[in-house]
């Protein structure tokens, strides 16, 4: 049960039950991308309003499991008001948090609340759930046309 | 359904089915997962293998490995004999009239692709129709889409009702003058529905239309007699019926098989080759180009003999009892909805839960040692029909017990608890 509580943290359950910036298409959004995991059917569309290199607003639509939904919700919260370059750096940090076996030292401070995703690392089959929204955000910033797939 | 004599007269069938004894034949079940005894309820995806199947594959490689139908030496003779004996076992298991009606393929998917390309493709004209159902697995959808693109034919789909049963009146309407083939699943992998294939085949035959039955989920659970059904093609996989992966069966009526083009060209499938032309081998070898999965075929033959000793009627009854126990127990869990409530069902329990995604149910059950499948089960159009992203699915086999069902129920209750806290 201890393990499970680490995966399904209070914060994750809360963001799954009441996702922030969802369902929302921000006014004047100028970046969007579609993310899909064909294995489990998780599917999100991420919308960003980027002005002067800063993500002014973020929102998402779609449906997925608790991990993917909470990750998307936490992400949109974190991105608002963030410089594009910093958002990319945050994506790299989240990726490291979820995939690197040995963490050198404490998790990066820029992760903040996102450290609740740490428990996902113990469930390799679920890492792709947690990263789906982030890969999709990355694609939105790069205006890739194709659907992003975490399989 | 008419039960082949071969399946009815086994001695064991007269005794009570003893799953606890059966479990001892499956070494993989004797382990713990996350500190709990393994409860394997993902049999719809693949079944576990009894020791006798593992031994048959092992013995083949240890003692008899050689290529088939080629050498004059002793090992080749042994390998050929074992491979052809397996074909005979398969023929008896589904009551084919002759073992030459049994073609070894990689699995159900390849069997259906073979029929699509070798039977349907040369016969289809623009505007012709292939009729399938809303509950088909992707492997009984995509091969037909490909052949439709190649020929200009159209794919038509028989709808289901909310319980997950075929709407047979709609089927009758859709059977038309342009229908060239009907493809239907015997036992749905997502819903558990057992379709009235005999009725479906009779209606098609009344119009001279051949029928392919996808039996991947049916053969391990219900007696199948291809002559009694009258089906033109019957496809199934070895690995879902306690055999190895990478081996499967296409049964076909001999006159159809004779008239069909080869599926692949190569060794084994020819009589004589010159650079100008090739003379093809006889059925079934015409469809078995290249060195086949000899060990897989032998393993499959062993698996079918193993299963047949229990009697398929007894197996089906036992698994139905497990399903009934599970169905009754989950009806007490708040916010749980069973997907697939057909009157005729085999050992599959698919469900969704309010506020808990199937994937999360799967993860929580895994921490309790309970293996189930979560997702769309390769039936995306069916999930769309129900307006759900997927389901959690428990599927039963001969080695599952009522204790396994109870562990499943405890796991689902735990998922409810984790998400309600």
């Amino acid at each position: 049960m201890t393990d499970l509580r680490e995966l399904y943290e209070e914060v994750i359950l809360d963001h799954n039950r009441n996702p922030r910036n969802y369902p929302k298409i921000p006014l004047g959004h100028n970046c969007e991308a579609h993310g899909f995991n064909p294995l489990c059917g998780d599917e999100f569309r991420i919308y960003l309003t980027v002005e002067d290199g800063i993500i002014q607003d973020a929102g998402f639509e779609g449906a997925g499991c608790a991990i993917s939904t909470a990750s998307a919700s936490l992400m949109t919260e974190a991105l608002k008001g963030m410089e594009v370059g910093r958002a990319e750096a945050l994506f790299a940090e989240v990726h490291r948090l979820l995939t690197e076996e040995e963490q050198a030292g404490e998790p990066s401070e820029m992760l903040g609340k996102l450290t609740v995703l740490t428990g996902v690392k113990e469930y390799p089959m679920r890492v792709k759930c947690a990263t789906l929204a982030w890969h999709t955000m990355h694609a939105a910033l790069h205006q890739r046309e194709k659907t992003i797939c975490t399989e | 359904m008419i039960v082949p004599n071969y399946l009815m007269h086994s001695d064991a069938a007269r005794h009570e089915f003893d799953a606890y004894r059966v479990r001892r034949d499956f070494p993989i079940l004797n382990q713990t997962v996350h500190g709990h005894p393994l409860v394997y309820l993902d049999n719809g995806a693949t079944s576990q293998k009894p020791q006798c199947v593992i031994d048959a594959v092992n013995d083949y490689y240890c003692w008899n490995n050689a290529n088939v139908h080629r050498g004059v030496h002793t090992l080749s003779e042994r390998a050929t004999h074992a491979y052809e004996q397996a074909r005979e076992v398969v023929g008896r298991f589904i009551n084919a009239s002759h073992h030459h009606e049994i073609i070894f393929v990689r699995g159900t998917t390849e069997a259906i692709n073979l029929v699509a390309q070798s039977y349907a493709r040369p016969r289809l004209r623009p505007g012709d129709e292939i009729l399938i159902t809303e509950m088909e697995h992707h492997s009984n959808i995509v091969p037909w889409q490909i052949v439709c693109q190649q020929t200009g034919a159209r794919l038509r789909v028989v709808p289901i009702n909310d319980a997950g049963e075929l709407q047979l009146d709609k089927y009758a309407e859709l059977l038309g003058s342009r229908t060239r083939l009907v493809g239907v699943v015997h036992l749905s992998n997502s819903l558990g529905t057992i379709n009235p294939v005999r009725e479906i085949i009779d209606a098609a035959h009344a119009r001279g239309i051949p029928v392919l039955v996808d039996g991947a989920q049916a053969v391990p659970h219900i007696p199948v007699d291809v002559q009694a059904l009258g089906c033109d093609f019957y496809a199934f996989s070895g690995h879902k019926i306690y055999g190895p992966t990478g081996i499967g069966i296409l049964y076909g009526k001999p006159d159809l098989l004779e008239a069909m083009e080869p599926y692949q060209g190569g060794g084994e499938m020819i009589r004589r080759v010159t650079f100008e032309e090739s003379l093809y081998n006889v059925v079934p070898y015409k469809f078995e180009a290249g060195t086949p999965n000899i060990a897989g075929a032998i393993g499959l033959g062993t698996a079918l003999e193993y299963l047949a000793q229990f009697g398929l009627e007894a197996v089906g009854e036992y698994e139905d009892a497990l399903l009934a126990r599970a169905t009754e127990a989950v009806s007490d869990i708040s916010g749980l909805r069973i997907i697939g409530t057909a009157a005729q069902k085999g050992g599959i329990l698919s469900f969704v839960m309010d506020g808990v995604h199937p994937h999360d149910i799967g993860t929580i059950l895994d921490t309790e040692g309970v293996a189930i499948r979560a997702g769309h089960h390769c039936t995306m159009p069916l999930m769309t029909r129900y307006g759900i992203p997927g389901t959690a699915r428990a599927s039963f086999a001969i080695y599952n017990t009522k204790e396994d069902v109870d562990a499943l129920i405890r796991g689902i209750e735990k998922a409810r608890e984790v998400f309600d806290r």
Side-chain angles (χ1 to χ4, degrees):
Chain A
M1 192 64 198
T2 342
D3 282 352
L4 266 185
R5 280 189 190 277
E6 275 170 27
L7 177 65
Y8 295 109
E9 278 258 5
E10 283 305 335
V11 178
I12 287 178
L13 291 178
D14 173 43
H15 277 259
N16 175 50
R17 227 171 273 138
N18 308 298
R20 322 295 196 264
N21 306 304
Y22 173 91
K24 177 177 135 180
I25 305 177
L27 273 179
H29 73 275
N30 48 11
C31 298
E32 72 170 275
H34 177 232
F36 180 50
N37 182 343
L39 192 75
C40 58
D42 288 356
E43 191 164 14
F44 293 111
R45 202 168 271 280
I46 306 278
Y47 302 92
L48 305 170
T49 308
V50 181
E51 281 165 19
D52 304 325
I54 291 172
I55 299 169
Q56 300 291 354
D57 205 356
F60 74 110
E61 290 181 321
C65 64
I67 307 300
S68 62
T69 305
S71 182
S73 169
L74 287 159
M75 180 188 81
T76 54
E77 248 188 354
L79 290 179
K80 278 198 246 180
M82 194 175 267
E83 280 175 20
V84 168
R86 203 167 155 74
E88 297 279 22
L90 184 61
F91 172 38
E93 282 301 326
V94 169
H95 203 264
R96 197 169 304 141
L97 179 79
L98 291 168
T99 57
E100 274 186 16
E101 282 202 10
E102 293 292 322
Q103 292 282 333
E106 290 291 297
S108 163
E109 267 184 36
M110 83 186 291
L111 284 169
K113 209 198 250 181
L114 292 164
T115 53
V116 296
L117 294 169
T118 309
V120 180
K121 191 169 57 183
E122 300 304 317
Y123 298 82
M125 303 294 282
R126 306 303 301 277
V127 168
K128 281 166 183 166
C129 306
T131 54
L132 177 61
W134 295 84
H135 283 288
T136 311
M137 175 273 286
H138 178 74
L141 287 174
H142 290 80
Q143 293 297 311
R144 298 232 184 89
E145 300 264 319
K146 274 174 76 177
T147 292
I148 288 309
C149 201
T150 55
E151 265 318 301
Chain B
M1 187 172 296
I2 298 160
V3 182
N5 288 341
Y6 164 69
L7 300 178
M8 282 298 278
H9 289 188
S10 95
D11 288 341
R14 279 184 233 128
H15 302 296
E16 181 107 358
F17 185 82
D18 185 355
Y20 301 97
R21 232 183 101 191
V22 168
R23 291 181 70 81
R24 298 208 292 264
D25 298 333
F26 291 79
I28 203 169
L29 298 175
N30 187 25
Q31 65 175 299
T32 58
V33 169
H34 297 300
H36 299 275
L38 169 64
V39 174
Y40 188 80
L41 295 173
D42 194 17
N43 299 289
T46 197
S47 64
Q48 300 303 345
K49 322 304 173 198
Q51 188 65 51
C52 61
V53 168
I54 298 167
D55 288 346
V57 172
N58 191 53
D59 287 355
Y60 167 72
Y61 283 123
C62 283
W63 301 104
N64 301 325
N65 177 55
N67 214 328
V68 290
H69 307 130
R70 293 182 184 37
V72 292
H73 57 79
T74 303
L75 293 195
S76 176
E77 194 187 309
R78 279 194 218 146
T80 304
H81 180 70
Y83 181 70
E84 290 304 326
Q85 267 209 321
R87 197 190 305 277
E88 289 177 27
V89 170
V90 176
R92 282 200 301 273
F93 190 82
I94 58 171
N95 198 31
S97 62
H98 194 281
H99 57 267
H100 284 168
E101 297 157 9
I102 304 299
I103 300 163
F104 284 118
V105 290
R106 279 191 297 150
T108 310
T109 298
E110 187 171 57
I112 297 172
N113 276 279
L114 193 162
V115 174
Q117 291 301 313
S118 292
Y119 175 79
R121 189 178 180 183
R123 290 165 179 77
L124 289 175
R125 300 286 169 265
D128 283 350
E129 293 173 358
I130 301 282
L131 186 55
I132 60 170
T133 84
E134 207 170 10
M135 67 173 88
E136 297 307 315
H137 188 281
H138 295 164
S139 62
N140 205 18
I141 301 174
V142 183
W144 306 118
Q145 285 175 333
I146 291 172
V147 81
C148 283
Q149 278 164 12
Q150 289 164 336
T151 60
R154 274 210 305 164
L155 191 63
R156 307 293 305 270
V157 182
V158 183
I160 59 169
N161 62 22
D162 289 341
E165 296 161 323
L166 287 179
Q167 298 187 27
L168 292 173
D169 51 334
K170 298 276 170 36
Y171 169 63
E173 285 168 25
L174 282 162
L175 270 180
S177 61
R178 300 305 302 266
T179 311
R180 294 289 172 262
L181 189 130
V182 173
V184 61
V185 65
H186 198 165
L187 195 164
S188 157
N189 71 315
S190 294
L191 304 169
T193 308
I194 298 174
N195 285 314
V197 282
R198 176 70 199 267
E199 208 178 321
I200 289 165
I201 291 162
D202 286 349
H205 284 181
R207 289 174 160 273
I209 303 162
V211 179
L212 174 142
V213 179
D214 167 1
Q217 298 289 340
V219 282
H221 306 298
I222 53 179
V224 171
D225 179 334
V226 290
Q227 292 189 72
L229 289 177
C231 56
D232 301 274
F233 300 104
Y234 197 95
F236 66 97
S237 301
H239 71 98
K240 292 189 201 291
I241 188 162
Y242 313 108
T245 55
I247 189 77
I249 298 299
L250 173 66
Y251 156 84
K253 279 187 179 164
D255 51 330
L256 292 177
L257 294 178
E258 288 294 343
M260 279 159 61
E261 295 294 307
Y263 177 50
Q264 293 176 325
E268 181 90 0
M269 53 78 69
I270 44 77
R271 269 280 168 73
R272 179 190 301 278
V273 175
T274 66
F275 284 116
E276 286 68 42
E277 60 171 4
S278 296
L279 189 61
Y280 303 136
N281 204 339
V282 294
V283 171
Y285 309 107
K286 183 169 81 174
F287 299 106
E288 293 181 3
T291 298
N293 182 355
I294 305 163
I298 293 167
L300 173 56
T302 307
L304 296 183
E305 282 180 322
Y306 172 79
L307 182 60
Q309 71 174 310
F310 304 115
L312 266 287
E313 286 284 351
V315 165
E317 271 172 35
Y318 177 72
E319 290 167 348
D320 286 349
L322 291 178
L323 177 64
R325 186 184 180 93
T327 304
E328 197 190 323
V330 297
S331 65
D332 292 337
I333 299 172
S334 72
L336 187 146
R337 180 162 63 103
I338 296 174
I339 304 295
T341 51
Q344 296 296 318
K345 264 189 84 171
I348 283 172
L349 182 73
S350 239
F351 59 93
V352 291
M353 269 170 97
D354 288 344
V356 194
H357 191 278
H359 237 75
D360 295 309
I361 300 172
T363 292
I364 293 168
L365 283 171
D366 182 56
T367 63
E368 299 286 300
V370 181
I372 60 151
R373 174 86 185 266
H376 52 64
H377 318 299
C378 296
T379 53
M380 282 188 181
L382 184 63
M383 297 298 117
T384 306
R385 156 71 174 76
Y386 280 99
I388 51 178
T391 73
R393 180 190 72 182
S395 44
F396 302 106
I398 49 173
Y399 39 68
N400 290 128
T401 61
K402 58 183 194 297
E403 287 77 14
D404 289 352
V405 173
D406 298 345
L408 169 72
I409 302 306
R410 281 197 305 276
I412 299 170
E413 281 166 350
K414 181 157 190 183
R416 185 79 277 170
E417 211 177 284
V418 168
F419 273 75
D420 282 355
R421 74 173 199 260

